[in-house]
Structures are given as structure tokens and as C-alpha cells.
Amino acid sequence: VFSKPLNETKIAGYCLLNDVKGNPIAIAQVVVDRVVYSQGVISLMYVALALVGVIAFIFVITAVLLDKIVLIRLGALSEAVTKIQKTGENSKRLTVKGNDELSALTVNINNMLESIDQNTVQLENTVKERTEDLLENQKKLESILSASPDAIMATDIEGKIIEVNNQVIQLSGFDRNDLIGKSASLFIPQAEIEKVTNHMLDILAGKSSVIRFEPSLLTKSGMLLPSELSFNVIRNESNTPIGFVGIIRDLSEKKMLEERRFKSERLAASGQLAGMVGHDLRNPLAAIRNAAYVLKRRCSKCDHSVGWRCLKLSIK
């Protein structure tokens, strides 16, 4: 017997028929409906639908429970953290009910906020103390700059003025607002700019520690002020040059005193020369005067006709 499905609903069975002598004479075919197969297919479909329904039910239940137990609480926690972040009110604490990982996370966040509050208070106190120290140091520096008899000026690495004291304002005639942010070449005559630039390059290159020379500086009125300029480079903690500080000394009085001393020395030399000349002339004049006095006494009674004779005898 041989069977073979014909389609989804029919199946055929075949059998070889023999005669009385045992020789095959025909093939018998029997076609029946595939009832069992159809029922099996329907059963599998029902099983699949049931399985899909169960999976969908489990998914819905899981989603609902996840939303209720986790997502809603997590959203509330995220919203509370975002609110604290926007408002900056670290003193507020989070509240999440339950006894799971989210509640443990909430406790950790509250502990972190408490630590942040403590560190913030300490940082504010430290900043306040440092600010007071900075203000005090700034006042001391301003007092030192104001009390300095010399003009002090600070510039950045490009030569722009960032700080001056009152002596600079008095010497230059400029206002403070006219100087801050301007180039220091404002004080330097055109003939001195190249020399000052070369000195700045030398001090940046480390060829010298302090530069000191005597240029003539320009004032607001255009007058040339004789001065002594000494400047050095300003470096930060990493030893990188960030600017220059210069000290300006007014040499007007010194130059005037030197000129007066020079004139005094010239007058003294002239007086010494006049004294020497007078001394050299006084000795022969005194001798002539003495001789004239002697001649006058000897020739006072001589006759005028013999006066030259007496004078000649007296000289001999």
C-alpha cells in the first residue's frame, strides 16, 4: 500500500491487485478527505492564536506594571532633579516611595545633595575669605602704588596699559581713562620706539633681567620729559611672560641741578682762573708800585731839569 497527499484536503491510497496466478493486473486508488490533518492545522492555529494572546496579555500587564512601578516614579524623580538643577535649590530633598532600587537611588541623590550643600557652604566661605584677602591685598597694592614716589605702570604682553598710579597721571598730564587700554608707546617719542622695542625683546629672550635707561618721555602737552625708565617682565605661575612693569623717575630736577652744578663749576673755574691771573699780575704791579713809591720819595726834591737823571740813577 502506498499513500500520497494530493492537496491540502485530499489524500490518496494505492494498492497493486494481482490475478489468480499472482500477476499484477490493476492498481486500486482510494481518495479520502484529510480530516485529521485539517483538525491538526486548526489546532495549531488555535494554539498560535492562544500563544499570541498570552504574549500580548503578558506584554500589556508588564507595560502597565512597568509604567506604574518604574516609569512614573522614575519620571517624578527626573522631574524633581531637573527642577533642583534649574532653580539651584540644593536644600530640597527628593521623595520616592518604595523599597527598591529607585528608593535607594533617591537616598543616594539626597545624600549627594547634602554633600553638595556642605561643600557649597565651605566653598562660599572659602571664596568669601579669598575675596576679602584679595580686596585687602588690592587695597594694599593700591596704597603702595599711590605712596610710591616714582611713577609705576603695568602693561600686558602686547604693551597695552593695564594699571598706572597717580604719579604717572601727574607726570604725563593724561587722565586715567585716557591711559588704560592704550599702548605704552603713547609716552615714547618716535626716535626712542626702536630702542625700547629692542630692550623689550632682550628681556623676553632672557638676555637681561632688568632694563634701565634714560629716554625722554612725551607728556600730554607734547613736551619731552627727561626721565629714567626701568622695567621688567611679569610672569605667571608657569613662568610664561604675561606683561611688563615699568618704573619712571622724573629727572627734570636732577638735570636742572646738574646744569646748575655745571654752571657753578664753570664759574668756579673762571674765578680760579681770574684769581691766578690776578695773582700773576698783582706781584709785578706791587713791585712797580713799590718802585714808584721809592722813586717818588727820592725825586721829590729834585729839579725838573735833572729829574730824568735822578730817575735813571735811582733805577740803577
Side-chain angles (χ1 to χ4, degrees):
V1 177
F2 173 75
S3 62
K4 178 180 180 182
L6 298 179
N7 49 41
E8 293 292 330
T9 59
K10 301 293 182 179
I11 187 171
Y14 301 92
C15 180
L16 182 64
L17 300 178
N18 298 321
D19 56 7
V20 293
K21 294 182 180 180
N23 298 320
I25 60 173
I27 296 177
Q29 181 188 31
V30 179
V31 178
V32 296
D33 294 331
R34 301 180 63 183
V35 179
V36 177
Y37 175 78
S38 299
Q39 293 178 352
V41 171
I42 294 173
S43 299
L44 289 177
M45 183 180 64
Y46 288 156
V47 170
L49 291 176
L51 183 60
V52 171
V54 171
I55 294 175
F57 177 76
I58 294 175
F59 177 78
V60 171
I61 295 299
T62 303
V64 172
L65 294 177
L66 181 64
D67 183 66
K68 184 177 181 180
I69 299 175
V70 178
L71 295 181
I72 294 178
R73 298 168 64 201
L74 186 60
L77 179 62
S78 177
E79 184 179 357
V81 172
T82 304
K83 185 176 180 181
I84 292 175
Q85 179 183 3
K86 290 181 179 180
T87 59
E89 297 178 354
N90 297 334
S91 59
K92 292 186 176 181
R93 295 295 179 263
L94 306 177
T95 55
V96 175
K97 297 180 180 180
N99 190 18
D100 54 3
E101 287 79 3
L102 284 179
S103 59
L105 178 61
T106 303
V107 173
N108 292 332
I109 292 176
N110 290 332
N111 293 334
M112 180 185 67
L113 291 175
E114 186 175 356
S115 299
I116 290 175
D117 287 340
Q118 295 177 358
N119 294 330
T120 302
V121 172
Q122 294 179 358
L123 183 60
E124 289 177 352
N125 294 332
T126 303
V127 170
K128 185 178 180 180
E129 293 176 358
R130 296 293 177 84
T131 303
E132 292 176 353
D133 293 339
L134 287 176
L135 291 176
E136 185 177 357
N137 293 331
Q138 183 177 2
K139 291 181 180 179
K140 288 181 180 179
L141 180 60
E142 291 177 355
S143 300
I144 293 173
L145 291 177
S146 300
S148 175
D150 298 323
I152 301 176
M153 176 176 58
T155 67
D156 58 11
I157 197 65
E158 296 178 355
K160 293 183 179 179
I161 301 173
I162 58 177
E163 186 60 48
V164 294
N165 63 351
N166 294 329
Q167 282 69 20
V168 174
I169 298 174
Q170 293 175 2
L171 286 179
S172 64
F174 289 97
D175 295 333
R176 179 181 177 85
N177 296 330
D178 296 334
L179 297 177
I180 301 300
K182 301 296 180 62
S183 176
S185 59
L186 183 69
F187 297 103
I188 304 173
Q190 190 67 30
E192 301 282 349
I193 290 180
E194 184 177 358
K195 182 188 296 184
V196 175
T197 303
N198 292 332
H199 286 319
M200 294 174 68
L201 293 177
D202 290 341
I203 200 170
L204 285 176
K207 296 181 180 180
S208 58
S209 58
V210 178
I211 298 297
R212 184 178 290 107
F213 61 105
E214 296 183 0
S216 296
L217 300 182
L218 283 173
T219 61
K220 185 177 182 179
S221 61
M223 295 179 58
L224 291 177
L225 181 69
S227 61
E228 180 187 67
L229 174 61
S230 58
F231 63 91
N232 200 349
V233 66
I234 304 174
R235 300 180 183 273
N236 57 13
E237 296 178 356
S238 59
N239 202 30
T240 302
I242 59 174
F244 299 91
V245 58
I247 299 177
I248 304 172
R249 293 185 177 90
D250 185 10
L251 299 183
S252 300
E253 185 176 358
K254 179 181 178 181
K255 295 293 184 181
M256 182 178 63
L257 293 176
E258 289 180 352
E259 185 176 357
R260 288 182 179 179
R261 187 183 66 181
F262 178 70
K263 290 181 179 180
S264 299
E265 290 177 354
R266 288 182 61 184
L267 291 175
S270 299
Q272 185 178 4
L273 179 62
M276 293 174 60
V277 172
H279 182 269
D280 292 340
L281 291 177
R282 192 180 298 112
N283 290 336
L285 287 176
I288 294 173
R289 181 180 179 182
N290 293 333
Y293 176 77
V294 174
L295 290 176
K296 184 177 180 180
R297 287 180 60 88
R298 289 184 180 182
C299 299
S300 60
K301 298 180 180 181
C302 294
D303 191 0
H304 291 286
S305 60
V306 294
W308 287 105
R309 180 181 176 187
C310 294
L311 179 60
K312 184 176 181 181
L313 292 174
S314 299
I315 293 175
K316 288 182 178 182

